[in-house]
Amino acid sequence: MRQWKEEDPQRRVVGYFPVFAPRELIEGAGAFPLGLHGGGQQVELMFADSRMQSFVCSISRTTLELGLIGNLDLLDAMFFTNICDVARNLSGVWCRNFPQQQTIFLHLPMHPPGETTLRYLVKEFGRAHRTIATIAGNGHGTEPLHVAIAAGNRNRLLQAQLEQTHRSEPWNLSLPALYLLRRMGSQMTLAQHNQLLADALGRLQHSTVRPRDGIRVIVEGAFCEQPPLELLELLEESGCYVVGDDLARGLRPESAPIELAQGGDPLEALARWYTFASGTQSVRHAPPQQREDYLFGQIEAASAQGVIFLNAKFCEPALYDYVVFKNALERQGKIPFMTLEFEEKQSTFENLRMQVETFVESILFT
Amino acid sequence: MQTTFQHQGAGLRLQKEMMTAWYARQEQAVQTKLPIAYVFIGGSPNELLRNFGYELAFPEINALQCGIKKAAGPNIIRAEDFGYSSDVCGYVKNDIGLMLNDYQSPQGRLAKPDFLVCNASGCATYLKWWEALAQHFAVPLFVLDVPYVQGDEIPAEEIEYVEAQIHELIELLERQTGQALDMARLKTDLAYAAQTEERWSQLLDLATHHPSPFDSYFEAVFFMANINIFRGTKEAVTYYDEVLKELKERIDHGVGPIPQEKVRVVVEGPPPWPHFRSFWELFKPWGVVCVASTYSKVGGLWDQGFRHDPSRPIRSMAEGMLHAYCNWSLPKRQALIRSYIDHFDADALVIHSVKSCRSFSVGQADLREYFHHEAKVPTLFVESDLADPRYFSHAQLRNRIDAFFESLEHRKLARGGAGGGP
Ligand code: SF4
Ligand code: SF4
């Protein structure tokens, strides 16, 4: 990425913190959107610990650490949204520690979808677009936005197709493979990602891995901080087919396309899509019934036999929604569930493996 | 100079009367058919809800009261048994614990909500909290979403967004109650609000005196209850008139909250309610007086000049909602604290970081970096919680507080100031 940027001094990179960042908006303003999902297991905290208390989620600390050790100095701007108070306040910490980068904070509306919300969001998106376009020296024309939205729509479609394949033949496309394909989207343009996804879909047509026994589960709760890959592998090794998930939620937008008519206003189309069609998320207000409907919808769509809650330690949005989900499942009394807590930098999994195996057995043998 | 005290305790007596009557109204709400609206403190639409006959209830204040009356622990544990993590906000868990116990509290039985207004200014957890209550009580929930204030200029669309939501709220209230908005009353109440805000700001500014006549943290957190709960009423104006008399009388007599003021501090962060008294006691032996605090601004930053304005009723309500302390970005919070240090002639900054409230605490360690290393303001950083009694480590806090003020005292002595710790 650094090299790519050095090849052309005009190139601009906008980093974004999960969960949701409108990649179309960043690309459409002429910058490269680089998704940051923390430091995983790679980063030792040397400086961030003195700036973030120990009761705060790991992703916020490792992301800050990456900045403080100079790993992110290629960024021209950093994009945050109001997913939670941690991310919101991290934007302020960013602002002070990295004054050479522009910190962009977008307040996504929490008021229920409607004209008030839409009108506001069109303007917020417009403001963010102008800011990034200015950084990118790109003028404020909307043509690149049209192109980015078309690429974004194709991305949604390809991801939906991949997920469909994964759901119907999870032995042919494992969860870690599906997840990595999704995560690659954070490191490339929408068009490049589309190419990668299309190639993967093509190759999958010839895949003939033999099915094995496994229970079908969905995984909920790891929409922002990401679990180590070993943990996802462990789920499958322990006898699960994870056929629905909310991992890296922002990189896997709802499949409904952004509807943009010829000559239409792309910012309005993007805002309309986010307001009305971007789905239920833990980091967005929803009436409790809607959250329950979302969970049962996921279970039904995946024909899941169980739910694994995979909550990032200290992640408040996940931990609050867990109560809603857990109580709904208990009331319904048909779908077993288990709860795991993880940290991105975790490196031992034996306990978790045992818990998952016990869960799988309890479903298989009752 | 006056030789006798005439006004001491008057504010407290009046506050007690007002609070007792308020809790009694809540307790009898079912019998008297008084509809109850739950709201949050920061930028709450008090005047609007009263206009439609609602009595206000503030679960944040219930949590605070449960904390201070040592009733929060069992509530929190009840909520954890229900599924809430030990890592989420103790205020929420206290309230869920109350809810699961039919709202039995040290204040008697608290009122249940008929209407939930989630004026979400400064905290994302508010949404989750009210969502849970809406589900439990199956009552209407209105989310009044307030954008986060980042720079000095608030974009017009953000104010318009809040304003549009207030109009939606009015329409909903009109449908719900079958009454039209009484604009004349709203303007009258907003005028009371402005007078209250003016007096409250005058009160806070009295801490510029040496010695300060009151503690702007340990005492101001009680003075602030009236502006948060009763703002928009004549009684709130009267209350602050009384407190102002009381504090001016203290100035006339040269007395303050402790026998001898030796160190003036600014405090950032909420108090540890379950251990409020013992926390204060840790500072008193060092002659510490807080001259400005950020916690007393969680309802609104009226000290920064903002006033409700009857000539622009809805617009000024929208603006007010944006200016709650926790809704200000960290750079703005940092600049505000910096200005407090200068304006109130403070010697040091105390940051009390609480686990429950990420809205307050994330970024505080970075504030410490700034104040300690860049602004060269001696800064004490201590941790506990505002609701959960389990996170208060008395011995550890005492060690840190003693070490900090001892070293500060040495520095003051070296510069020729007053000294004398415990
Ligand atoms: S992991 Fe959770 S708490 Fe942390 S930044 Fe992400 S959403 Fe916020
Ligand atoms: S996180 Fe802080 S502001 Fe939010 S409800 Fe809890 S104590 Fe209140």
Coordinates of all heavy atoms in Angstrom, one line a residue, chain A residues 50-53 55-56 85-86 88-89 92-93 96-97 105 107 109-111 116 120 123-124 127 282 285-286 288 291-292 313-314 316 319-323 326-327, chain B residues 82-83 87-89 122 124-125 128 131 135 143 145-148 150 157-158 160-161 164-165 168 326 330 334 353 355 358-359 361-362 365-366 368-369 374 383:
Chain A
S50 N -1.2 3.3 27.7 CA -1.2 4.5 28.5 C -2.3 5.5 28.1 O -2.5 6.5 28.7 CB 0.2 5.2 28.6 OG 0.5 5.7 27.3
R51 N -2.9 5.2 27.0 CA -3.9 6.1 26.5 C -5.4 5.6 26.5 O -6.3 6.2 26.2 CB -3.6 6.6 25.1 CG -2.4 7.6 25.0 CD -2.1 7.9 23.6 NE -1.1 9.0 23.5 CZ 0.2 8.8 23.7 NH1 0.7 7.7 24.1 NH2 1.0 9.9 23.5
M52 N -5.5 4.3 26.8 CA -6.8 3.6 26.8 C -6.8 2.7 28.0 O -5.9 1.8 28.1 CB -6.9 2.7 25.6 CG -7.4 3.3 24.3 SD -9.1 3.9 24.3 CE -9.0 4.8 22.8
Q53 N -7.8 2.8 28.8 CA -7.9 2.0 30.0 C -8.1 0.5 29.6 O -8.6 0.2 28.6 CB -9.1 2.4 30.9 CG -8.9 3.9 31.4 CD -9.5 4.9 30.5 OE1 -9.5 4.8 29.3 NE2 -10.2 5.9 31.1
F55 N -10.3 -1.6 30.5 CA -11.6 -2.1 30.3 C -12.2 -1.7 29.0 O -13.4 -1.8 28.8 CB -12.6 -1.6 31.4 CG -12.5 -0.1 31.7 CD1 -13.2 0.8 30.8 CD2 -11.9 0.5 32.7 CE1 -13.2 2.1 31.0 CE2 -11.9 1.8 32.9 CZ -12.5 2.7 32.0
V56 N -11.4 -1.3 28.1 CA -11.9 -0.9 26.7 C -11.5 -2.0 25.7 O -10.4 -2.7 25.9 CB -11.2 0.4 26.3 CG1 -11.8 0.9 25.0 CG2 -11.5 1.5 27.4
D85 N -19.6 4.5 22.0 CA -18.9 5.6 22.6 C -17.3 5.4 22.5 O -16.6 6.4 22.5 CB -19.3 5.7 24.1 CG -20.7 6.1 24.2 OD1 -21.2 6.8 23.3 OD2 -21.4 5.7 25.2
V86 N -16.9 4.2 22.5 CA -15.5 3.9 22.3 C -15.0 4.5 21.0 O -14.0 5.3 21.0 CB -15.2 2.4 22.5 CG1 -13.7 2.2 22.2 CG2 -15.5 1.9 23.8
R88 N -16.4 6.5 19.0 CA -16.7 8.0 19.0 C -15.5 8.7 19.7 O -15.0 9.7 19.1 CB -18.0 8.3 19.7 CG -18.5 9.6 19.5 CD -19.6 9.9 20.6 NE -19.0 10.0 21.9 CZ -19.6 10.4 23.0 NH1 -20.9 10.7 22.9 NH2 -19.0 10.5 24.1
N89 N -15.2 8.3 20.9 CA -14.1 9.0 21.6 C -12.8 8.8 21.0 O -11.9 9.6 21.1 CB -14.2 8.6 23.1 CG -15.3 9.2 23.8 OD1 -16.3 9.7 23.2 ND2 -15.3 9.2 25.1
G92 N -11.6 11.4 18.8 CA -11.0 12.5 19.4 C -9.6 12.3 19.7 O -8.7 13.2 19.6
V93 N -9.3 11.1 20.2 CA -7.9 10.7 20.5 C -7.1 10.8 19.3 O -5.9 11.2 19.2 CB -7.9 9.3 21.2 CG1 -6.4 8.9 21.4 CG2 -8.6 9.3 22.5
R96 N -6.1 14.3 18.2 CA -5.0 14.9 18.9 C -3.7 14.3 18.6 O -2.7 15.0 18.4 CB -5.2 14.8 20.4 CG -4.3 15.6 21.2 CD -4.5 15.5 22.7 NE -3.8 14.4 23.3 CZ -2.5 14.3 23.5 NH1 -1.8 15.4 23.3 NH2 -2.0 13.2 24.1
N97 N -3.7 13.0 18.4 CA -2.4 12.3 18.2 C -1.9 12.3 16.8 O -0.7 12.1 16.6 CB -2.5 10.8 18.8 CG -2.5 10.8 20.3 OD1 -1.4 10.8 20.9 ND2 -3.6 10.7 20.9
F105 N -15.4 12.5 11.2 CA -16.4 11.8 12.1 C -17.8 11.9 11.5 O -18.2 13.1 11.2 CB -16.4 12.3 13.5 CG -17.3 11.5 14.4 CD1 -16.9 10.4 15.0 CD2 -18.6 11.9 14.5 CE1 -17.8 9.6 15.8 CE2 -19.5 11.2 15.3 CZ -19.1 10.1 16.0
H107 N -21.7 11.2 12.0 CA -22.8 10.8 12.9 C -23.9 10.2 12.1 O -24.7 10.9 11.5 CB -23.3 12.0 13.7 CG -24.3 11.6 14.8 ND1 -24.0 11.3 16.1 CD2 -25.6 11.3 14.7 CE1 -25.1 11.0 16.7 NE2 -26.1 11.0 15.9
P109 N -27.4 8.5 11.6 CA -28.6 8.7 12.3 C -29.1 7.5 13.1 O -29.1 6.4 12.6 CB -29.7 9.2 11.3 CG -29.1 8.7 10.0 CD -27.6 8.6 10.1
M110 N -29.6 7.8 14.3 CA -30.2 6.7 15.2 C -31.7 6.9 15.2 O -32.4 6.0 15.8 CB -29.6 6.8 16.6 CG -28.1 6.5 16.6 SD -27.8 4.7 16.3 CE -26.0 4.8 16.1
H111 N -32.2 8.0 14.8 CA -33.6 8.2 14.7 C -34.2 7.2 13.7 O -33.5 6.9 12.7 CB -33.9 9.7 14.3 CG -35.3 10.1 14.4 ND1 -36.0 10.2 15.6 CD2 -36.2 10.5 13.4 CE1 -37.2 10.6 15.3 NE2 -37.4 10.7 14.0
T116 N -37.0 12.7 7.9 CA -36.1 13.5 8.7 C -34.7 12.9 8.7 O -33.7 13.6 8.5 CB -36.6 13.5 10.2 OG1 -37.9 14.1 10.2 CG2 -35.7 14.2 11.1
Y120 N -31.3 14.5 6.6 CA -30.1 14.8 7.4 C -28.9 14.0 6.8 O -27.8 14.5 6.6 CB -30.3 14.4 8.9 CG -29.1 14.2 9.7 CD1 -28.3 15.2 10.1 CD2 -28.7 12.9 10.0 CE1 -27.1 15.0 10.8 CE2 -27.5 12.7 10.8 CZ -26.7 13.7 11.2 OH -25.6 13.5 11.9
K123 N -27.2 15.2 3.7 CA -26.2 16.3 3.9 C -25.0 15.9 4.6 O -23.9 16.4 4.3 CB -26.9 17.4 4.8 CG -28.0 18.1 4.0 CD -28.6 19.3 4.7 CE -29.7 19.9 3.9 NZ -30.6 20.7 4.7
E124 N -25.1 14.9 5.6 CA -23.9 14.4 6.3 C -23.0 13.7 5.3 O -21.8 13.9 5.3 CB -24.3 13.4 7.4 CG -24.7 14.1 8.7 CD -23.6 14.7 9.5 OE1 -22.8 14.0 10.1 OE2 -23.5 15.9 9.4
R127 N -21.3 16.3 3.2 CA -20.2 16.9 3.9 C -18.9 16.0 3.9 O -17.8 16.5 3.6 CB -20.6 17.2 5.3 CG -19.8 18.3 6.0 CD -20.6 19.0 7.1 NE -21.2 18.0 8.0 CZ -20.5 17.5 9.1 NH1 -19.3 17.9 9.3 NH2 -21.1 16.6 9.9
S282 N -26.2 -4.2 15.4 CA -26.1 -3.9 16.8 C -25.7 -2.5 17.1 O -25.9 -1.9 18.2 CB -25.1 -4.8 17.5 OG -25.7 -6.1 17.7
H285 N -29.7 1.9 16.3 CA -30.9 1.8 17.0 C -31.9 0.9 16.3 O -32.1 1.1 15.1 CB -31.5 3.1 17.3 CG -33.0 3.0 17.8 ND1 -33.3 2.4 18.9 CD2 -34.1 3.5 17.2 CE1 -34.7 2.4 19.0 NE2 -35.2 3.1 18.0
A286 N -32.6 0.0 17.0 CA -33.7 -0.7 16.4 C -34.6 -1.1 17.6 O -34.2 -1.4 18.7 CB -33.2 -2.0 15.8
P288 N -36.6 -3.4 20.0 CA -36.2 -4.8 20.3 C -36.9 -5.9 19.5 O -36.2 -6.9 19.1 CB -36.7 -4.9 21.8 CG -36.9 -3.6 22.3 CD -37.2 -2.7 21.1
R291 N -34.9 -6.5 16.5 CA -33.7 -7.2 16.7 C -34.0 -8.7 16.8 O -33.2 -9.6 16.3 CB -33.0 -6.8 18.1 CG -32.5 -5.4 18.1 CD -31.3 -5.2 19.0 NE -31.0 -3.8 19.1 CZ -30.4 -3.1 18.2 NH1 -30.0 -3.6 17.1 NH2 -30.1 -1.8 18.4
E292 N -35.1 -9.1 17.5 CA -35.4 -10.5 17.6 C -35.8 -11.0 16.2 O -35.4 -12.1 15.8 CB -36.6 -10.7 18.5 CG -36.3 -10.4 20.0 CD -37.5 -10.6 20.9 OE1 -38.5 -11.3 20.5 OE2 -37.4 -10.2 22.1
K313 N -14.7 -9.2 23.9 CA -14.6 -8.8 25.3 C -14.8 -7.2 25.4 O -14.1 -6.5 24.6 CB -13.3 -9.2 26.0 CG -13.3 -8.9 27.4 CD -12.5 -10.0 28.2 CE -12.5 -9.7 29.7 NZ -13.8 -9.7 30.3
F314 N -15.6 -6.7 26.3 CA -15.8 -5.3 26.5 C -16.6 -4.6 25.4 O -16.7 -3.4 25.4 CB -14.5 -4.5 26.7 CG -13.6 -5.0 27.8 CD1 -12.3 -5.5 27.6 CD2 -14.2 -5.1 29.1 CE1 -11.6 -5.9 28.7 CE2 -13.4 -5.5 30.2 CZ -12.1 -6.0 30.0
E316 N -19.6 -3.3 24.2 CA -20.9 -3.0 24.8 C -22.1 -3.2 23.8 O -23.1 -3.9 24.2 CB -21.0 -1.6 25.3 CG -20.2 -1.4 26.6 CD -20.6 -0.3 27.4 OE1 -20.3 0.9 27.0 OE2 -21.3 -0.4 28.4
L319 N -22.7 -6.9 23.8 CA -23.1 -7.4 25.1 C -24.5 -7.0 25.5 O -25.2 -7.8 26.1 CB -22.1 -6.9 26.2 CG -20.7 -7.5 26.1 CD1 -19.7 -6.8 27.0 CD2 -20.7 -9.0 26.3
Y320 N -25.0 -5.8 25.1 CA -26.4 -5.4 25.3 C -27.3 -6.3 24.4 O -28.3 -6.8 24.9 CB -26.6 -4.0 25.0 CG -26.0 -3.1 26.1 CD1 -25.0 -2.1 25.9 CD2 -26.5 -3.2 27.4 CE1 -24.5 -1.3 26.9 CE2 -26.0 -2.4 28.4 CZ -25.0 -1.4 28.2 OH -24.6 -0.6 29.2
D321 N -26.9 -6.4 23.2 CA -27.8 -7.2 22.3 C -27.9 -8.6 22.7 O -28.9 -9.3 22.4 CB -27.4 -7.0 20.8 CG -27.9 -5.7 20.2 OD1 -28.5 -4.9 21.0 OD2 -27.8 -5.5 19.0
Y322 N -26.8 -9.1 23.2 CA -26.8 -10.5 23.7 C -28.0 -10.8 24.6 O -28.6 -11.8 24.5 CB -25.4 -10.8 24.4 CG -25.5 -12.1 25.1 CD1 -25.5 -13.3 24.5 CD2 -25.5 -12.1 26.5 CE1 -25.5 -14.5 25.2 CE2 -25.5 -13.2 27.2 CZ -25.5 -14.4 26.6 OH -25.6 -15.6 27.3
V323 N -28.3 -9.8 25.5 CA -29.4 -10.0 26.5 C -30.7 -10.2 25.7 O -31.5 -11.1 26.0 CB -29.5 -8.9 27.5 CG1 -30.5 -9.1 28.5 CG2 -28.1 -8.6 28.1
K326 N -30.5 -13.6 23.8 CA -30.6 -14.7 24.7 C -32.0 -14.9 25.2 O -32.5 -16.0 25.2 CB -29.6 -14.5 25.8 CG -29.7 -15.4 27.0 CD -28.8 -14.8 28.1 CE -29.2 -15.2 29.5 NZ -30.4 -14.9 30.1
N327 N -32.6 -13.8 25.7 CA -33.9 -14.0 26.2 C -34.9 -14.4 25.2 O -35.8 -15.2 25.5 CB -34.3 -12.6 26.9 CG -33.6 -12.4 28.2 OD1 -33.1 -13.3 28.8 ND2 -33.4 -11.2 28.6
Chain B
F82 N -29.7 -11.7 35.0 CA -30.7 -11.7 33.9 C -30.0 -11.8 32.5 O -30.6 -11.9 31.5 CB -31.4 -10.3 34.0 CG -32.6 -10.2 33.1 CD1 -33.7 -11.0 33.2 CD2 -32.6 -9.2 32.1 CE1 -34.8 -10.8 32.3 CE2 -33.7 -9.0 31.2 CZ -34.8 -9.9 31.3
G83 N -28.6 -11.6 32.6 CA -27.9 -11.7 31.3 C -26.9 -10.6 31.0 O -26.1 -10.7 30.1
D87 N -19.3 -6.3 32.3 CA -18.5 -5.2 31.7 C -19.4 -4.1 31.1 O -18.8 -3.2 30.4 CB -17.6 -5.8 30.5 CG -16.5 -6.6 31.1 OD1 -16.0 -6.3 32.2 OD2 -16.2 -7.7 30.5
V88 N -20.7 -4.1 31.3 CA -21.5 -3.0 30.8 C -21.9 -2.0 31.9 O -21.7 -2.3 33.1 CB -22.7 -3.5 30.0 CG1 -22.3 -4.4 28.8 CG2 -23.7 -4.2 30.9
C89 N -22.5 -0.9 31.5 CA -22.7 0.2 32.4 C -23.5 -0.1 33.6 O -24.6 -0.7 33.5 CB -23.4 1.3 31.6 SG -24.0 2.7 32.6
G122 N -24.9 12.3 23.7 CA -23.6 12.0 24.4 C -23.4 10.6 24.9 O -22.4 10.3 25.5
A124 N -24.1 6.4 23.6 CA -24.7 5.4 22.7 C -25.5 4.3 23.6 O -26.4 3.7 23.1 CB -23.6 4.7 21.9
T125 N -25.1 4.2 24.8 CA -25.7 3.2 25.7 C -27.2 3.5 25.9 O -28.0 2.7 26.2 CB -24.9 3.1 27.0 OG1 -23.6 2.6 26.6 CG2 -25.5 2.2 28.0
K128 N -29.6 1.5 24.0 CA -29.8 0.1 24.4 C -30.6 0.1 25.7 O -31.4 -0.9 25.9 CB -28.4 -0.5 24.7 CG -27.5 -0.5 23.5 CD -27.9 -1.5 22.4 CE -26.9 -1.6 21.3 NZ -27.5 -2.3 20.2
E131 N -34.2 0.8 24.8 CA -34.8 -0.3 24.0 C -35.2 -1.4 24.9 O -36.3 -2.0 24.8 CB -33.7 -0.9 23.0 CG -33.5 0.0 21.8 CD -32.4 -0.5 20.9 OE1 -32.0 -1.7 21.0 OE2 -31.9 0.3 20.1
Q135 N -39.1 -2.7 25.5 CA -39.6 -4.1 25.4 C -40.3 -4.6 26.6 O -41.3 -5.2 26.5 CB -38.4 -5.0 25.1 CG -38.8 -6.4 24.8 CD -37.7 -7.3 24.5 OE1 -36.6 -7.2 25.0 NE2 -37.9 -8.3 23.6
V143 N -37.0 8.1 19.8 CA -35.6 8.4 19.8 C -35.3 9.7 19.3 O -35.6 10.0 18.1 CB -34.8 7.3 19.0 CG1 -33.3 7.7 18.9 CG2 -34.9 5.9 19.7
D145 N -32.4 11.7 18.4 CA -30.9 11.5 18.2 C -30.2 12.8 18.0 O -30.6 13.6 17.2 CB -30.8 10.7 16.9 CG -29.4 10.5 16.4 OD1 -28.5 10.3 17.3 OD2 -29.2 10.4 15.2
V146 N -29.2 13.0 18.8 CA -28.5 14.3 18.8 C -27.0 14.0 18.3 O -26.3 13.3 18.9 CB -28.4 14.9 20.2 CG1 -27.7 16.2 20.2 CG2 -29.8 15.0 20.8
P147 N -26.7 14.6 17.2 CA -25.3 14.4 16.6 C -24.3 14.9 17.6 O -24.5 15.8 18.4 CB -25.3 15.3 15.3 CG -26.8 15.4 15.0 CD -27.5 15.4 16.3
Y148 N -23.1 14.3 17.5 CA -22.0 14.5 18.3 C -21.3 15.9 17.9 O -21.1 16.1 16.7 CB -21.0 13.4 18.1 CG -19.8 13.3 19.0 CD1 -19.9 13.4 20.3 CD2 -18.6 12.9 18.4 CE1 -18.8 13.3 21.1 CE2 -17.5 12.8 19.2 CZ -17.6 13.0 20.6 OH -16.5 12.8 21.4
Q150 N -18.4 18.3 17.2 CA -17.0 18.1 17.0 C -16.2 19.4 17.1 O -15.3 19.6 17.8 CB -16.8 17.4 15.7 CG -17.3 16.0 15.8 CD -17.5 15.4 14.4 OE1 -16.6 15.1 13.7 NE2 -18.8 15.3 14.1
E157 N -27.1 21.4 9.3 CA -28.0 20.3 9.1 C -28.1 19.5 10.4 O -29.1 18.8 10.6 CB -27.5 19.3 8.0 CG -26.2 18.6 8.3 CD -25.0 19.2 7.6 OE1 -25.0 20.4 7.3 OE2 -24.0 18.5 7.4
E158 N -27.1 19.6 11.3 CA -27.2 18.9 12.5 C -28.2 19.5 13.5 O -29.0 18.8 14.1 CB -25.8 18.7 13.2 CG -24.9 17.9 12.3 CD -23.6 17.6 12.9 OE1 -23.2 18.1 14.0 OE2 -22.9 16.7 12.3
E160 N -30.7 21.4 12.4 CA -32.0 21.2 11.7 C -32.5 19.7 12.0 O -33.7 19.5 12.1 CB -31.9 21.4 10.2 CG -31.8 22.9 9.9 CD -31.1 23.1 8.5 OE1 -31.0 22.2 7.7 OE2 -30.8 24.3 8.3
Y161 N -31.6 18.8 12.0 CA -32.0 17.4 12.2 C -32.7 17.3 13.6 O -33.7 16.7 13.8 CB -30.7 16.5 12.1 CG -30.8 15.1 12.5 CD1 -31.9 14.3 12.0 CD2 -29.9 14.5 13.3 CE1 -31.9 12.9 12.3 CE2 -29.9 13.1 13.7 CZ -30.9 12.4 13.2 OH -31.0 11.0 13.5
A164 N -36.0 19.1 13.6 CA -37.1 18.3 12.9 C -37.6 17.2 13.8 O -38.8 16.9 13.8 CB -36.5 17.7 11.6
Q165 N -36.7 16.6 14.6 CA -37.1 15.5 15.5 C -38.0 16.1 16.6 O -38.9 15.4 17.1 CB -35.9 14.8 16.1 CG -35.1 14.0 15.1 CD -33.9 13.4 15.7 OE1 -34.0 12.4 16.4 NE2 -32.7 14.0 15.5
E168 N -41.3 16.4 15.3 CA -42.0 15.0 15.3 C -42.4 14.6 16.7 O -43.5 14.0 16.8 CB -41.0 14.0 14.8 CG -40.8 13.9 13.3 CD -39.9 12.8 12.9 OE1 -39.7 11.8 13.6 OE2 -39.3 12.8 11.7
C326 N -21.1 15.4 27.6 CA -20.6 14.2 27.0 C -20.9 14.1 25.5 O -20.4 13.2 24.8 CB -21.3 13.0 27.7 SG -20.5 12.6 29.3
L330 N -13.7 15.1 22.2 CA -12.5 15.2 23.2 C -11.7 16.5 23.0 O -11.4 17.1 24.0 CB -11.6 14.0 23.1 CG -12.2 12.8 23.9 CD1 -11.4 11.5 23.5 CD2 -12.1 13.0 25.4
Q334 N -11.2 18.9 26.0 CA -9.8 19.3 26.5 C -9.7 20.8 26.6 O -9.2 21.3 27.6 CB -8.8 18.7 25.4 CG -7.4 19.0 25.7 CD -6.5 18.5 24.6 OE1 -6.5 17.3 24.3 NE2 -5.8 19.4 24.0
S353 N -11.7 8.2 36.5 CA -12.1 7.4 35.3 C -13.0 6.3 35.9 O -12.6 5.6 36.8 CB -10.9 6.8 34.7 OG -11.2 5.8 33.8
K355 N -15.3 2.8 35.0 CA -15.4 1.8 34.1 C -16.8 1.8 33.4 O -16.9 1.6 32.1 CB -15.2 0.4 34.8 CG -15.4 -0.7 33.8 CD -15.2 -2.1 34.5 CE -15.5 -3.2 33.5 NZ -15.3 -4.5 34.0
R358 N -18.1 4.6 29.3 CA -17.1 4.8 28.2 C -17.3 6.2 27.6 O -16.3 6.7 27.1 CB -17.3 3.7 27.1 CG -16.5 2.5 27.3 CD -17.0 1.6 28.4 NE -16.4 0.3 28.4 CZ -16.9 -0.7 29.1 NH1 -17.8 -0.5 30.0 NH2 -16.3 -1.9 29.1
S359 N -18.5 6.6 27.6 CA -18.7 8.0 27.1 C -17.8 9.0 27.7 O -17.3 9.9 27.1 CB -20.2 8.3 27.3 OG -20.4 9.6 27.0
S361 N -15.1 8.0 29.9 CA -13.8 7.6 30.2 C -12.8 7.3 29.0 O -11.6 7.5 29.2 CB -13.8 6.4 31.2 OG -14.6 5.4 30.7
V362 N -13.4 6.9 27.9 CA -12.5 6.7 26.8 C -11.9 8.0 26.3 O -12.7 8.9 26.0 CB -13.2 5.9 25.7 CG1 -12.3 5.8 24.4 CG2 -13.6 4.5 26.1
A365 N -7.4 9.0 29.4 CA -6.0 8.7 29.6 C -5.2 9.6 28.6 O -4.1 10.0 28.9 CB -5.7 7.2 29.4
D366 N -5.8 9.8 27.5 CA -5.1 10.7 26.5 C -5.2 12.2 27.0 O -4.2 12.9 26.8 CB -5.8 10.6 25.1 CG -4.9 11.1 24.0 OD1 -3.8 10.7 23.9 OD2 -5.4 12.0 23.3
R368 N -5.0 12.9 30.1 CA -3.9 13.0 31.1 C -2.6 13.2 30.4 O -1.8 14.1 30.8 CB -3.8 11.7 31.8 CG -2.6 11.6 32.7 CD -2.4 10.2 33.3 NE -2.5 9.1 32.3 CZ -2.5 7.8 32.6 NH1 -2.5 7.5 33.9 NH2 -2.5 6.9 31.7
E369 N -2.3 12.5 29.2 CA -1.1 12.7 28.5 C -0.9 14.2 28.1 O 0.1 14.8 28.3 CB -1.1 11.9 27.2 CG -1.1 10.4 27.4 CD 0.3 9.9 27.8 OE1 1.3 10.3 27.1 OE2 0.4 9.2 28.8
E374 N 2.0 18.1 28.0 CA 2.0 19.3 27.1 C 1.6 20.6 27.9 O 2.3 21.6 27.8 CB 1.1 19.1 25.9 CG 1.7 18.1 24.9 CD 0.8 17.9 23.7 OE1 0.2 18.9 23.2 OE2 0.8 16.8 23.2
E383 N -9.1 5.6 39.3 CA -10.1 4.8 38.7 C -11.0 4.1 39.7 O -10.6 3.6 40.7 CB -9.5 3.6 37.8 CG -8.8 4.1 36.6 CD -8.3 3.0 35.7 OE1 -9.1 2.4 35.0 OE2 -7.1 2.7 35.8

